[in-house]
Each structure stands twice: as structure tokens, then as C-alpha cells.
Amino acid sequence: MQLDFTYYNPTKIHFGKNSLTKLNDELTQYGDTVMLVYGRNAIKSNGLYDDIMTILAAAGKKVIELSGVMPNPTYNKMMEGAALVREHNVSLILAVGGGSVIDCAKGISVSAYCENEDPFQKYWIEFSEVDNKVVPVASVLTMVGTGSEMNGGSVITHEATKYKAGRVFPANVYPGFSILNPEYTFTVSQYQMVSGVFDTMSHLMEQYFSDQGANTSDYLIESLLKSSIDNLRVALKNPDDYEARSNLMWNATLALNTITGLSKTQDWQVHMIEHQLGAYTDCAHGMGLAAISLPYYRLIYKFGIEKFVRFATQVWGISCEGKTQDQIALEGIDALAHFTKECGIVTSLKELGATKEMLPKIAESTTIIGKGYKKLTSEEILNILETCF
Ligand code: NZQ
Ligand code: ZN
């Protein structure tokens, strides 16, 4: 059933091998000072940094740089960027990188002129309306998975309190434009590639496993899951396969540009647990999600069995003949588990850097949402963490 909704997404996407040629035209809409936000080495070693600096210089822009944005971007890094924006009166924040860089750019955008209150407290803890000046953000995507290139999400880790918090900002914080060239992802390591694809799949599952019945979003999600599975298999064999990389890139964008969430209640409990796992271990986001997903879905499937049966048959092609609903549903989760193994996804928290002592702290600090098939307790979260430890 389709519920009532209004759909609007302000991000313009330039997709393809020549998409960087659109940057010059886009820049004419913004003022003179651009802050280039990027990570540690990737864009310098693959030449993208030089290409972008050449375009910015030709467009007559003054460039301020914020480099060294780390995976799981921190509050301190965001505040460093916010101070630079104020000091140089930056008119566009251009994020070049993966989800961490783009999330940090959005965080800087809302924090730069949030001068009377601590922005983390105001926007990521209290979820207040954004009522201060926002600096436009745009992106050049180099790592696939989060969907940050076409949404308002910004996930920031507060180092002092060990709290990794996500927030979806309104349309004026979404990237105004995003440049998506699948070739930029050829240099992403296999580890990061599979982590990113599992992130895409997790976004789809978080939306799928809520409500019963089926609406168009559920059909879209099944297709995007199948495309992610098929294309990851191809990209693992040949990382330079343009078709596979381009499908993975567009799947990730579609998985979290809010289109597949329409008419869905949405769960997001796996993400809530992973965020705290990330705050304690700094693990790759998609790997943490994979580890948690398997015991989580084994715990909750009985409460949403129809959808888990559908997942098994529609996504994994499991036959129903002579089987109970329970068996079919569990075979679907097993198929997901086999796929994670096949792709070399790490599903042990120990391997992701967790220690036994961390688990109760992660469980206690996890936000419990209660919108999926079962509202978890802190004890159940601890059990999940212990199961995948
Ligand atoms: O630091 P550099 O050198 O740039 O290396 C990065 C980083 O080490 C590397 N990389 C990126 N592009 C590359 C490349 N290496 C080689 N070639 C390239 N072309 O990849 C590493 C990981 O990058 P990162 O941006 O951290 O990965 P990802 O895109 O997975 O982002 C993860 C962050 O996004 C948040 C996560 O929680 C995490 O903090 N999320 C954001 C969401 C959103 N905005 O909607 C939703 C997600 O659920 C997620 O929570
Ligand atoms: Zn995610």
C-alpha cells in the first residue's frame, strides 16, 4: 500500500566518465571562495586532486583546503572546518571523497554559523531545526556505499563522549550537485569496496524489513539488492569492470536518496548498533553492519516472517517446495550469511577491533528505535554483540 508522501530531492547528479567536465559550469552558481574538503591520500595518489585544482583555478576561485578527514569523521575535524569557513567567508564547500568526507562537509555547513550553542549538542543530540546560515555543499564521490552524495545525512563521531550520531538535514544541506564517475572507484581497495556494498545492502534491508504487505518501495529494494549482489560478484573478479562499478555506484545512491524509503516505516536498528560499535572501534561502517545484521535478523525474523519469506524467495531465489515459512525465512538469512563469506566480509567484532569489555558499553549507549519488527532491549543488543564477537 502506498502511504501519503511528498517527495523532493534537490541534488543534481552528473554521472559518468566525463562528469567532471560539468564542474566548471556548476561553479558559476557559487561565490569566489571554495573550501575543498578531502581525506588522507586517495585523491592525491589517483590524480583527482590535481584535476579539480586545475578546474578551480581556471574558474578563478580562491581555494581553502581541509584535508585529512578520517573515516568516521570526528567532531573536532568538523569544528576545524567550521572555523575555516568563518575565517575565509567560504561560499561553497566541495567535498571530494566518500561518505565520511561528504558527511563532514555537511556538518561544517550547519556548524560554521551556529555560534551561540555547541552544534553537536544542538543538531545531533537535540535534533533542533537548522536556524542559522548554511553554507552550500557539493560533492565529487570517490567511494560508494553511504548515499551521502544525494541525501541530507551527516554522521559525526564525538570523540570525547564516544558517541557516533547521525542526523538527516533538510534540503538546503543536501549537496547542490554531485559528480559521480565510476572510474574514480577503481582504486578503492577490495576491503572498502565490499564494506561499501554491504552498506548499500544494509540501507535497503533497513527499509525493507518494516511493515507487512508490499508497496513499490519493496519491489525497488528487491531489484537493487539483486543488482548489488550480482555486480559485486563481477567487481570482485574484475575491479576495473566499468559496468559493474557504475551499477554499484548508482545502486548506492538510489538506496539512500530517500526514494526507496517512501511509504515505509523503516527500521535502522542495525545502523544504531553499528554507530556505537564504530564509536568504540573505528571499524569500517559496512563491515560492522554485516557482523550485526546476521544475529539481528536471526533474532527478529519470526516477528516479520512474511517479509523474510519474501526476501528469501525474491532476492535469493530460494524455493518454497515442502518447506515451512520458518525454514524458508532462515534459508534467506543463511544465503545472506554465505554471500558475506563469499565476498570476504568481516563478520567478527573481534576482527573489527572490539574487545569483550567494550560490548556492554556499546549496548548501553545504543539508541533503541523500535520501528522494526521487534523493539530490542539493551540485553538483546548485548546478546547480538556477543554472538558476533
Ligand atoms: O582517507 P582517504 O585517503 O580518502 O581514503 C578513504 C578511506 O580510507 C578511502 N577511499 C575513498 N575513496 C577512495 C579511497 N581509496 C582509494 N580510492 C578511492 N577512490 O576509503 C576509506 C573509507 O572512506 P569513507 O568515506 O570513510 O567510507 P564510506 O563512504 O563508507 O563512509 C563511511 C561514513 O559514512 C557514514 C558512516 O557511518 C561512516 O561514518 N554514513 C553516512 C550516511 C549518510 N550520510 O547518509 C549513511 C550511512 O549509513 C553511514 O552511517
Ligand atoms: Zn550505512
Side-chain angles (χ1 to χ4, degrees):
M1 184 181 66
Q2 300 298 331
L3 304 177
D4 299 350
F5 61 80
T6 300
Y7 182 66
Y8 172 62
N9 188 312
T11 305
K12 191 198 283 185
I13 297 290
H14 296 292
F15 193 100
K17 287 184 184 180
N18 297 313
S19 47
L20 194 63
T21 58
K22 304 287 169 50
L23 179 58
N24 187 49
D25 275 1
E26 290 292 352
L27 288 172
T28 59
Q29 299 168 47
Y30 301 92
D32 293 336
T33 308
V34 174
M35 186 163 90
L36 193 66
V37 181
Y38 56 97
R40 297 161 304 180
N41 313 308
I43 70 160
K44 288 208 168 157
S45 53
N46 67 11
L48 183 56
Y49 172 85
D50 291 339
D51 292 348
I52 290 176
M53 288 302 259
T54 304
I55 294 169
L56 290 170
K61 302 291 180 185
K62 178 182 170 197
V63 182
I64 310 298
E65 295 187 40
L66 180 74
S67 63
V69 175
M70 60 295 279
N72 303 316
T74 62
Y75 169 77
N76 285 337
K77 196 72 196 174
M78 174 179 89
M79 295 308 275
E80 184 188 332
L84 280 174
V85 164
R86 278 196 306 278
E87 186 186 335
H88 298 278
N89 194 19
V90 165
S91 37
L92 171 69
I93 305 172
L94 182 60
V96 184
S100 295
V101 170
I102 305 172
D103 282 14
C104 186
K106 291 175 197 165
I108 294 167
S109 161
V110 297
S111 300
Y113 297 100
C114 175
E115 288 170 276
N116 300 324
E117 280 169 84
D118 174 57
F120 191 81
Q121 179 65 27
K122 179 174 179 182
Y123 292 133
W124 282 266
I125 303 289
E126 293 165 15
F127 294 102
S128 300
E129 296 285 309
V130 182
D131 56 5
N132 51 259
K133 179 180 161 185
V134 161
V135 183
V137 173
S139 83
V140 178
L141 185 67
T142 66
M143 148 91 200
V144 162
T146 64
S148 189
E149 64 278 9
M150 201 179 179
N151 68 36
S154 172
V155 184
I156 301 295
T157 299
H158 196 281
E159 311 93 308
T161 55
K162 282 211 176 296
Y163 192 61
K164 179 173 170 179
R167 160 81 198 256
V168 180
F169 286 105
N172 58 343
V173 186
Y174 280 49
F177 65 90
S178 283
I179 291 176
L180 276 61
N181 179 347
E183 285 180 336
Y184 296 155
T185 67
F186 287 176
T187 52
V188 173
S189 68
Q190 182 172 315
Y191 188 90
Q192 289 295 343
M193 176 178 73
V194 294
S195 172
V197 175
F198 198 91
D199 189 22
T200 299
M201 292 176 66
S202 177
H203 296 159
L204 294 165
M205 292 187 288
E206 297 268 30
Q207 295 167 87
Y208 187 73
F209 291 125
S210 63
D211 319 303
Q212 289 301 348
N215 58 38
T216 296
S217 292
D218 289 317
Y219 289 91
L220 286 173
I221 290 170
E222 287 160 359
S223 298
L224 289 170
L225 280 169
K226 286 197 276 192
S227 173
S228 299
I229 294 161
D230 291 349
N231 285 289
L232 180 56
R233 284 181 169 138
V234 175
L236 278 168
K237 283 204 187 96
N238 179 12
D240 293 349
D241 187 306
Y242 182 82
E243 191 173 72
R245 289 287 198 158
S246 66
N247 287 335
L248 292 172
M249 191 173 228
W250 190 227
N251 289 349
T253 306
L254 290 172
L256 205 53
N257 70 352
T258 70
I259 197 112
T260 54
L262 298 174
S263 290
K264 300 288 302 177
T265 306
Q266 309 185 28
D267 183 347
W268 297 106
Q269 191 59 56
V270 175
H271 270 69
M272 292 303 102
I273 303 173
E274 192 288 330
H275 282 177
Q276 280 318 97
L277 173 69
Y280 277 85
T281 64
D282 204 26
C283 67
H285 173 62
M287 296 294 184
L289 294 170
I292 296 157
S293 295
L294 299 170
Y296 175 68
Y297 289 134
R298 288 197 171 107
L299 175 73
I300 68 152
Y301 80 93
K302 278 184 197 286
F303 302 89
I305 192 129
E306 285 167 37
K307 190 54 72 64
F308 278 90
V309 167
R310 197 180 149 129
F311 176 70
T313 56
Q314 300 305 308
V315 177
W316 299 102
I318 290 176
S319 116
C320 298
E321 241 180 79
K323 296 174 195 162
T324 63
Q325 298 267 93
D326 224 61
Q327 284 169 327
I328 302 163
L330 281 172
E331 280 188 33
I333 302 171
D334 286 346
L336 178 66
H338 288 141
F339 181 68
T340 61
K341 270 214 180 81
E342 173 193 334
C343 301
I345 293 175
V346 178
T347 53
S348 142
L349 299 194
K350 203 173 184 179
E351 273 184 63
L352 292 174
T355 61
K356 267 258 182 240
E357 295 68 46
M358 285 178 187
L359 303 186
K361 293 179 193 155
I362 295 169
E364 278 156 30
S365 58
T366 294
T367 303
I368 296 169
I369 300 191
K371 287 195 172 170
Y373 292 129
K374 182 182 191 317
K375 186 171 181 180
L376 297 186
T377 62
S378 290
E379 294 74 57
E380 285 170 326
I381 295 174
L382 183 57
N383 280 340
I384 288 168
L385 294 168
E386 284 170 347
T387 307
C388 56
F389 179 72

